[in-house]
Amino acid sequence: MDETLLRDLTPGVLGILVRRGADFAAAEDAVQEALVDAVRVWPADPPRDAKGWLVTVAWRRFLDAARADAGRRRREESVEEEPAPGPVPAVDDTLQLYFLCAHPSLTPSSAVALTLRAVGGLTTRQIAQAYLVPEATMAQRISRAKRTVSGVRFDRPGDVATVLRVLYLVFNEGYSGDVDLVAEAIRLTRRLAAAIDHPEVAGLLALMLLHHARRAARTGSDGSLVPLAEQDRGRWDTGAIAEGVAILQGALARDRLGEFQAQAAIAALHADAPTAEETDWVQIVEWYDELARLTDSPVVRLNRAVAVGEADGPRAGLAALAALDGSLPRYTAVAAYLHERDGDLTTAARMYAEAAHKATDLAERDHLTRRAARLNSARGGA
């Protein structure tokens, strides 16, 4: 891979996108994504026209982002900026679309992917990242789903579990900052909770409220990420926390535990701690054990390794991490954090830099780069 060539081509590609009508910031993001694709694709399949390839891919990325943003704006025009607590109207066309796209003729994973693309406003790339699969694989899955439902009548709604999965992923994308869909996801989940008496619907709503309560403290004034342990807890929304905990307690009392209730219980334990040092990590590990039993998710086990590192020490966390696949997203960042906690600043700095190189989110990449630089500076001054 000729990185010099990529650097030389970048200004010209950026200029073409701006002349085509893209604003500079959006064009810059699109070009960065195209460069990442080039690093991944070109070694095995170099293009004949490098600049033309970059322009085509960057323009496609820009159009995907513009469509997603337009969809978000249309949805936000119909709701207030913040999701209000309390009763909601029973009828909602958007929620009905979620159920219809979760058609019984589709597998649950295909139904989720189709709904996220057609109704949720997410790009194929964002959906692929959520599912931990290549973008091309997800594009094929969505295309097959479209073909499957093209000849059927949308008169049989899908099941609640599929719709919950969609709402959860939409919320996660909104919470990450890529697309601001948090308020919409909470609004729809409130409507679903008002229409259906189901503990997992309540669990998902509680989870959303507990995470949303911390949103104002997640970024600094310069837009940088603020880790949970360093957040100003005075900025957390205590009203949303109280509502989320009350909803969760009602769901858990029904003794029909599901993954969203377990995740909400973990979020509630974080929200309940007056300081980071007072977090009940032992109980959090126990809830991660329950969650791993329910989902068998490698991402859950990755998060559990962090919790084990806090409850039993960083070396116990590293031992739990060693049993997992090193290609998992954020695996290297977790390893870096645990090595830092264990006092191995050289390894931690190297792994933070490696994690930053792998990160697809710009804010996360900047955060990891800063941590690497801070540790390198600390070692230099030691």
Side-chain angles (χ1 to χ4, degrees):
M1 169 61 60
D2 190 342
E3 294 185 7
T4 302
L5 174 63
L6 288 177
R7 284 196 298 270
D8 291 344
L9 291 175
T10 296
V13 175
L14 184 59
I16 290 173
L17 263 65
V18 171
R19 288 195 294 274
R20 286 186 178 183
D23 67 82
F24 187 83
E28 208 170 30
D29 288 345
V31 172
Q32 286 299 319
E33 291 187 8
L35 292 175
V36 171
D37 284 348
V39 171
R40 177 174 54 85
V41 172
W42 286 11
D45 185 19
R48 285 194 291 269
D49 178 5
K51 184 175 182 179
W53 190 98
L54 286 172
V55 169
T56 299
V57 173
W59 184 248
R60 190 179 303 137
R61 296 290 185 218
F62 166 74
L63 291 178
D64 281 345
R67 291 190 192 103
D69 189 55
R72 171 187 61 80
R73 286 197 301 271
R74 285 194 300 272
R75 285 186 293 274
E76 289 180 344
E77 287 171 359
S78 64
V79 296
E80 295 179 356
E81 184 175 348
E82 292 297 325
V88 293
V91 178
D92 187 273
D93 290 342
T94 305
L95 191 56
Q96 184 181 15
L97 285 174
Y98 273 66
F99 272 96
L100 291 177
C101 283
H103 198 272
S105 63
L106 298 171
T107 64
S109 60
S110 294
V112 171
L114 177 62
T115 313
L116 289 171
R117 189 71 184 94
V119 187
L122 273 63
T123 65
T124 302
R125 183 166 184 259
Q126 289 169 323
I127 301 168
Q129 288 173 346
Y131 270 89
L132 309 181
V133 299
E135 183 177 352
T137 301
M138 182 53 65
Q140 292 173 355
R141 184 180 300 177
I142 293 172
S143 295
R144 284 197 300 269
K146 288 179 179 178
R147 287 196 299 271
T148 299
V149 300
S150 63
V152 302
R153 293 180 60 189
F154 282 88
D155 55 358
R156 292 184 298 155
D159 67 354
V160 174
T162 300
V163 174
L164 286 179
R165 177 63 50 191
V166 174
L167 290 169
Y168 173 68
L169 292 173
V170 168
F171 178 85
N172 279 349
E173 284 299 329
Y175 197 67
S176 74
D178 295 330
V179 182
D180 189 7
L181 293 170
V182 169
E184 174 70 352
I186 294 178
R187 182 182 74 89
L188 291 174
T189 307
R190 282 193 188 282
R191 293 184 182 275
L192 188 58
I196 299 175
D197 183 18
H198 192 298
E200 272 294 82
V201 177
L204 179 58
L205 179 57
L207 174 64
M208 289 179 174
L209 290 169
L210 289 163
H211 278 303
H212 184 63
R214 302 199 303 259
R215 193 178 190 191
R218 290 184 72 244
T219 54
S221 57
D222 59 353
S224 60
L225 291 179
V226 180
L228 177 61
E230 300 171 20
Q231 288 176 14
D232 177 0
R233 297 181 181 223
R235 299 183 65 195
W236 289 3
D237 184 341
T238 54
I241 290 172
E243 185 188 5
V245 169
I247 292 172
L248 173 63
Q249 288 174 338
L252 292 175
R254 301 179 64 177
D255 199 23
R256 289 168 53 195
L257 184 63
E259 63 171 297
F260 295 125
Q261 295 168 72
Q263 286 193 55
I266 293 169
L269 286 166
H270 283 298
D272 188 52
T275 66
E277 293 73 23
E278 295 174 86
T279 303
D280 188 346
W281 285 107
V282 172
Q283 195 173 166
I284 287 175
V285 171
E286 292 173 356
W287 275 110
Y288 270 122
D289 289 338
E290 288 284 353
L291 191 54
R293 180 182 61 80
L294 289 165
T295 66
D296 195 29
S297 164
V299 175
V300 168
R301 297 186 186 281
L302 183 68
N303 291 330
R304 178 186 178 277
V306 176
V308 169
E310 299 290 352
D312 301 327
R315 295 195 178 181
L318 286 167
L321 189 66
L324 304 178
D325 185 349
S327 65
L328 278 172
R330 295 188 173 87
Y331 178 100
T332 309
V334 169
Y337 173 74
L338 291 170
H339 278 293
E340 180 185 1
R341 292 256 292 123
D342 194 39
D344 186 353
L345 302 189
T346 300
T347 300
R350 175 178 57 78
M351 298 193 84
Y352 274 132
E354 183 182 339
H357 181 72
K358 295 177 179 178
T360 56
D361 178 79
L362 293 178
E364 182 182 359
R365 185 183 307 162
D366 181 62
H367 170 72
L368 293 168
T369 301
R370 288 172 189 248
R371 292 193 80 99
R374 177 175 58 78
L375 292 186
N376 283 324
S377 176
R379 289 190 302 116

